[in-house]
Amino acid sequence: MVLFKPVAAPSPKFDMNPSPLPWEEGLGQAVFTDVNLARGTEGALLLRNLIAFPRVMTLSVVALFRQALVHGSGTRGHNSPTFSESMGGDSVGTGIVLFGLHFRDGASHRNLDERSDSGRLHSLRGSGGGFTGSHDFWAPLPSPGDLEIFVAWPAAGIPETRTVLDGSRIVDAAAALARRWS
């Protein structure tokens, strides 16, 4: 028995100069885990982990509401906070979490910038359910020195809050990693 009929498909062509994606460079190394970014009256934000790779880093962020969010703009029809839905203009929706990085060299990367902006954080994946939302981003390695992480989450009562990490630890961890593929 043959389930599929033969199909003519062109040979695959691979990009020989792709932008670096974290998993293409091996497993990476966790540099920071479980960093409390902010806590408000109705929720909390946590940097679950920051993993260094030879040329980039990934950041996994978790948002947790204390109680159910009433349906509204930015909730995507459920109670989960979100990191990736732009609401247009200068306002944000109810469930939107603002997340950004500022490097010592002056570069900034934010989750809600337009896709064409060079400072936009690159989304790897996001999920949500119940009162929790999580999102994984990747960004270039920071310059040595302070790495500032900024968050704001109006629905949870969290104003713009700054957390400082040692960017030199990230750069040093990345330099010590051997690339898995060349």
Side-chain angles (χ1 to χ4, degrees):
M1 175 181 150
V2 175
L3 184 61
F4 297 106
K5 295 179 183 178
V7 294
S11 297
K13 295 181 181 176
F14 297 98
D15 184 353
M16 299 312 290
N17 297 307
S19 57
L21 295 174
W23 55 84
E24 293 174 345
E25 296 188 335
L27 297 176
Q29 178 181 343
V31 180
F32 294 101
T33 58
D34 296 330
V35 176
N36 289 312
L37 297 176
R39 183 178 303 260
T41 57
E42 296 299 325
L45 293 166
L46 175 75
L47 176 66
R48 177 60 69 196
N49 62 52
L50 185 153
I51 299 175
F53 292 87
R55 295 181 289 176
V56 298
M57 63 180 172
T58 62
L59 302 102
S60 180
V61 189
V62 177
L64 175 65
F65 271 125
R66 184 173 68 86
Q67 57 188 348
L69 174 68
V70 176
H71 295 281
S73 175
T75 64
R76 292 188 179 171
H78 51 73
N79 295 325
S80 300
T82 180
F83 291 82
S84 62
E85 186 177 340
S86 178
M87 303 313 293
D90 293 329
S91 65
V92 295
T94 306
I96 296 292
V97 177
L98 302 176
F99 179 74
L101 308 174
H102 183 75
F103 297 169
R104 185 174 184 188
D105 66 5
S108 293
H109 302 272
R110 293 170 295 275
N111 63 324
L112 295 185
D113 284 354
E114 295 297 321
R115 291 197 184 280
S116 61
D117 291 348
S118 61
R120 181 179 173 86
L121 284 169
H122 300 276
S123 176
L124 286 172
R125 66 191 143 266
S127 64
F131 308 150
T132 304
S134 63
H135 209 96
D136 293 350
F137 299 99
W138 72 269
L141 290 173
S143 51
D146 289 347
L147 166 63
E148 298 173 294
I149 299 176
F150 288 87
V151 295
W153 190 11
I158 297 175
E160 185 170 298
T161 304
R162 176 179 159 259
T163 301
V164 179
L165 300 178
D166 183 359
S168 298
R169 284 183 55 192
I170 302 163
V171 173
D172 292 346
L177 293 170
R179 291 189 61 198
R180 305 276 178 187
W181 298 273
S182 51

